[in-house]
Amino acid sequence: ETGVTQTPRHLVMGMTNKKSLKCEQHLGHNAMYWYKQSAKKPLELMFVYSLEERVENNSVPSRFSPECPNSSHLFLHLHTLQPEDSALYLCASSQNRGEFYEQYFGPGTRLTVT
Amino acid sequence: AQSVAQPEDQVNVAEGNPLTVKCTYSVSGNPYLFWYVQYPNRGLQFLLKYITGDNLVKGSYGFEAEFNKSQTSFHLKKPSALVSDSALYFCAWSDYKLSFGAGTTVTVRA
């Protein structure tokens, strides 16, 4: 256990559905991240939150909408997704946002868009 | 563009033999380098990092990595591999965000 939990672990949704992914960290960290891991592709950083403020958005389509209500929780709201959005979505946290802070990852949510 | 590269998609070793997973970097200035491991159906787990100082970095589960500035490498090593080390290994560099290599699948056969 890394201290970062994600729910649900698996999610199947149609292209017209709206769903949300949840991440919770129990480490007292100040920075949280969303990554997308697709087969045969490097991990893609999607969003970065530092002290509950979004500090990075890596050209992610608007059908993905993050929310960070407090330093322990991070959500990824999904709507009108495409089949190519099927992937493993990983949440991570670090003590602070900085070059030398390691990140701790949750187990991921396996998303399938039908 | 600044990046890390993992030249081997797969590494196969016998249990008890030394394990090396290669990583090279193309990063200006002082690189901050990391190794992570991902077991099947799990998230990534931090193994070790190089920030500055001693070129030999020791990490979790008996792994270590050597920072070599002249060869721009940061190879991950374990003296005696276990079957349980079979996993996907990622090298990464950091400039306020982590950028990962493509990953190397390690298979340790009994």
Side-chain angles (χ1 to χ4, degrees):
Chain A
E1 284 296 331
T2 63
V4 181
T5 58
Q6 290 187 243
T7 54
R9 293 293 308 274
H10 297 88
L11 177 63
V12 179
M13 59 186 289
M15 289 189 285
T16 59
N17 291 158
K18 289 185 180 181
K19 297 286 184 183
S20 295
L21 309 184
K22 179 182 176 182
C23 175
E24 183 173 0
Q25 59 96 359
H26 310 273
L27 301 169
H29 289 170
N30 291 320
M32 298 187 77
Y33 311 79
W34 278 117
Y35 289 86
K36 176 183 179 183
Q37 186 177 27
S38 305
K40 307 298 183 184
K41 293 177 69 175
L43 274 82
E44 302 172 53
L45 177 64
M46 301 175 71
F47 301 103
V48 180
Y49 276 82
S50 177
L51 297 172
E52 301 155 38
E53 179 180 344
R54 191 192 310 180
V55 294
E56 189 149 346
N57 176 343
N58 277 354
S59 303
V60 179
S62 60
R63 57 185 183 268
F64 295 91
S65 175
E67 179 190 3
C68 187
N70 56 61
S71 60
S72 298
H73 293 87
L74 185 65
F75 294 89
L76 188 62
H77 304 299
L78 316 172
H79 64 96
T80 59
L81 293 190
Q82 304 299 310
E84 60 264 28
D85 297 322
S86 298
L88 182 67
Y89 288 85
L90 293 165
C91 173
S93 70
S94 63
Q95 184 178 350
N96 288 297
R97 178 174 171 257
E99 302 113 313
F100 37 80
Y101 291 104
E102 62 270 23
Q103 295 179 19
Y104 293 84
F105 286 77
T109 295
R110 174 71 62 185
L111 174 66
T112 303
V113 181
T114 60
Chain B
Q2 303 191 90
S3 64
V4 292
Q6 295 180 244
E8 299 167 319
D9 291 336
Q10 289 202 340
V11 170
N12 298 302
V13 297
E15 189 172 36
N17 281 2
L19 170 62
T20 298
V21 188
K22 296 180 180 178
C23 174
T24 58
Y25 65 90
S26 176
V27 177
S28 59
N30 295 321
Y32 300 111
L33 301 169
F34 297 75
W35 276 103
Y36 286 81
V37 60
Q38 185 176 29
Y39 298 101
N41 301 313
R42 303 282 294 277
L44 277 70
Q45 294 182 32
F46 167 72
L47 282 177
L48 51 80
K49 64 181 177 183
Y50 172 81
I51 303 300
T52 186
D54 195 347
N55 289 343
L56 184 63
V57 181
K58 294 190 181 297
S60 306
Y61 312 121
F63 284 95
E64 59 186 28
E66 184 172 9
F67 174 72
N68 188 319
K69 191 169 184 178
S70 63
Q71 296 186 4
T72 62
S73 66
F74 188 56
H75 300 333
L76 181 70
K77 299 180 180 182
K78 186 170 184 179
S80 178
L82 301 172
V83 172
S84 57
D85 293 327
S86 299
L88 181 58
Y89 290 79
F90 291 98
C91 178
W93 73 281
S94 177
D95 65 343
Y96 288 94
K97 63 182 181 183
L98 282 173
S99 296
F100 290 87
T104 299
T105 299
V106 170
T107 301
V108 182
R109 59 186 185 276

